[in-house]
Amino acid sequence: MSLKSWQDALAALASCGMLRRLQTVTGPQRAHVHMQGREMLLLCSNNYLGLADHPALVEAQSRAAAHYGTGSGGSRLISGSMELHEQLETRLACFKGTQRALLFNSGYAANTGILQGLMGPEDIIFSDRLNHASIIDGCRLSRARTLVYPHRDVAALERLMAGEAAGRKGQWLIVTDGVFSMDGDLAPLPELVALKNRYDCLLMVDDAHGTGVLGAGGKGTGEYFGCLANIDLHMGTMGKALGGFGAFVAGPDVLIQTLLNRARSFIFSTSLPPAVVGAGLAALDIVQSEEGRSLRLRLEQLRALVTQHLGPDICTGFDGNTPILPIITGEPQATVRASAWLQQQGIFLQGIRPPTVPEGSCRLRMTLMATHQPGELLQAADLIRKALSA
Ligand SMILES: *Cc1c(COP(=O)(O)O)cnc(C)c1O
């Protein structure tokens, strides 16, 4: 069998700066990581609160492994539903203020499972153009009609909904990232709540990047806007600010029961290892503690500092009070060059290219961690400015 067509395709990607490859971090995920024998300042991790190597999480995970072992041995519906899974689900439902929650093995599995499990060919999903790839794939799997509205454009969404209202049958669902992963801007949740009430449909918020970070209690974008209780389905992950792995959906009991019966990524997959769930519980403890509050405050302060230091010409893409700071570079080759140059200077800041972001809007997606030091961020900001003008 000839592998030539794949070789040619990879070569074509490489020739236009679009080839992806792995870069290995040795040692733990901290504000400083080791790569190829060098220490680098990490500026592209979703470990916003620095919990991924927090002693309390490591200790909880080790304790859970010692007590429950390493594997769950099955899917939740066969033999793999353990008491830690249920404890974490109870905590998450309470955290988001819903009747019930259900764990998924990752955010990707959650979004594909939620949309496929709740929506079908008779239904309509209204989806923001910049929603995460896992939402797009969930829409496809559901076989519902998917109407994509321009990014954060509530007026356009309303026109779409009004156009569908006559002879409506089936369920409607609006789905949006809470914090958009590549831009760091926020969904207009209060306006979306008003629309979902006017048109009597469900509102699902993917708060992979808001959970733990936004709102006084870290409950996410809904808490930030004061409309947490108006969101029907809260999707969140434990792999980002919560420093671990896994994901969940929180919502009304009837929808959770439906997912438990229909969501294929939930039904046909081994459940999360108990140790991972133990770390999730410990992460929630921290997020809801005084320590969590001060980590969030610290992130806000660092954001203000960096934004001010970079100046308005570089911060054109910054919108929303989040630790995600997209520095727009445009084309793939310029992006790869800037990222490689920064790496030589000891800064790990990955370039993001299509299809993760739209054509022509490549960027260095800079993310802050509460464990960064102000001085090192200022130095990095100066180097970023240099990288862009080179
Ligand atoms: C990261 C991310 C996901 C996927 O979550 P994983 O747990 O990494 O699979 C889903 N939605 C958004 C918006 C994300 O940023």
Side-chain angles (χ1 to χ4, degrees):
M1 205 187 74
S2 165
L3 302 179
K4 186 163 184 316
S5 67
W6 287 286
Q7 277 161 354
D8 290 348
L10 287 174
L13 283 178
S15 72
C16 57
M18 289 291 286
L19 190 69
R20 293 166 190 239
R21 51 193 188 83
L22 299 173
Q23 294 200 287
T24 306
V25 168
T26 49
Q29 288 285 345
R30 297 198 171 120
H32 293 252
V33 291
H34 288 267
M35 298 173 70
Q36 296 166 334
R38 278 183 71 190
E39 186 178 308
M40 312 270 279
L41 178 66
L42 176 60
L43 284 184
C44 53
S45 165
N46 300 321
N47 176 24
Y48 305 116
L49 300 179
L51 298 189
D53 73 326
H54 193 290
L57 272 71
V58 174
E59 145 73 14
Q61 181 147 344
S62 311
R63 215 169 348 103
H67 192 77
Y68 293 100
T70 52
S72 73
S75 67
R76 290 290 296 286
L77 290 167
I78 308 291
S79 65
S81 195
M82 301 173 76
E83 60 185 340
L84 282 182
H85 295 116
E86 289 176 19
Q87 279 173 29
L88 182 54
E89 285 171 345
T90 304
R91 279 289 300 277
L92 288 165
C94 179
F95 182 57
K96 294 283 186 177
T98 64
Q99 284 178 333
R100 209 170 154 186
L102 191 67
L103 292 176
F104 282 84
N105 288 351
S106 69
Y108 187 89
N111 279 335
T112 50
I114 295 163
L115 292 166
Q116 167 271 319
L118 295 180
M119 305 299 281
E122 294 288 289
D123 303 326
I124 302 182
I125 300 172
F126 298 92
S127 178
D128 188 289
R129 177 169 301 286
L130 294 190
N131 276 343
H132 191 261
S134 55
I135 294 178
I136 296 170
D137 292 358
C139 292
R140 290 176 180 152
L141 279 174
S142 76
R143 290 190 268 171
R145 205 142 73 82
T146 301
L147 301 178
V148 175
Y149 59 90
H151 183 48
R152 299 199 304 173
D153 188 339
V154 181
L157 171 59
E158 165 132 48
R159 281 194 297 277
L160 274 180
M161 295 176 91
E164 296 294 328
R168 169 178 173 183
K169 49 182 190 317
Q171 293 287 351
W172 287 9
L173 177 145
I174 303 170
V175 60
T176 182
D177 284 15
V179 175
F180 287 87
S181 51
M182 294 300 130
D183 292 83
D185 55 348
L186 305 180
L189 288 187
E191 291 84 354
L192 293 178
V193 166
L195 267 191
K196 81 119 193 162
N197 286 333
R198 192 167 320 144
Y199 287 91
D200 189 29
C201 68
L202 293 175
L203 174 61
M204 168 175 166
V205 176
D206 170 346
D207 225 6
H209 296 275
T211 299
V213 172
L214 286 184
K219 295 180 184 184
T221 317
E223 185 186 26
Y224 176 86
F225 281 118
C227 62
L228 198 68
N230 302 101
I231 296 166
D232 301 292
L233 287 162
H234 306 259
M235 176 276 189
T237 66
M238 277 87 76
K240 289 169 179 159
L242 269 53
F245 186 64
F248 64 91
V249 61
D253 180 52
V254 59
L255 297 184
I256 301 297
Q257 276 198 58
T258 304
L259 290 173
L260 195 148
N261 280 275
R262 288 206 198 141
R264 294 169 67 84
S265 64
F266 175 83
I267 297 171
F268 297 108
S269 196
T270 302
S271 61
L272 287 173
V276 166
V277 181
L281 283 160
L284 270 186
D285 284 341
I286 293 177
V287 162
Q288 297 187 279
S289 70
E290 206 41 58
E291 181 181 354
R293 235 179 301 282
S294 64
L295 289 171
R296 284 188 288 278
L297 183 63
R298 167 97 175 173
L299 265 182
E300 270 183 48
Q301 291 166 340
L302 292 176
R303 182 196 153 89
L305 182 80
V306 171
T307 306
Q308 194 194 21
H309 196 75
L310 279 173
D313 51 325
I314 294 181
C315 303
T316 49
F318 299 9
D319 185 7
N321 197 14
T322 70
I324 302 172
L325 307 175
I327 296 163
I328 305 298
T329 45
E331 296 308 317
Q333 261 137 346
T335 312
V336 172
R337 246 193 333 266
S339 175
W341 186 80
L342 285 167
Q343 202 155 322
Q344 286 165 10
Q345 318 303 315
I347 290 174
F348 186 29
L349 177 44
Q350 287 270 25
I352 310 282
R353 295 163 288 171
T356 312
V357 293
E359 296 282 343
S361 74
C362 292
R363 64 203 60 190
L364 300 168
R365 176 181 176 271
M366 176 176 181
T367 54
L368 303 176
M369 296 169 62
T371 46
H372 283 140
Q373 298 304 318
E376 65 195 10
L377 289 178
L378 295 182
Q379 274 175 5
D382 290 335
L383 287 168
I384 289 167
R385 176 175 292 287
K386 234 186 216 170
L388 295 180
S389 59

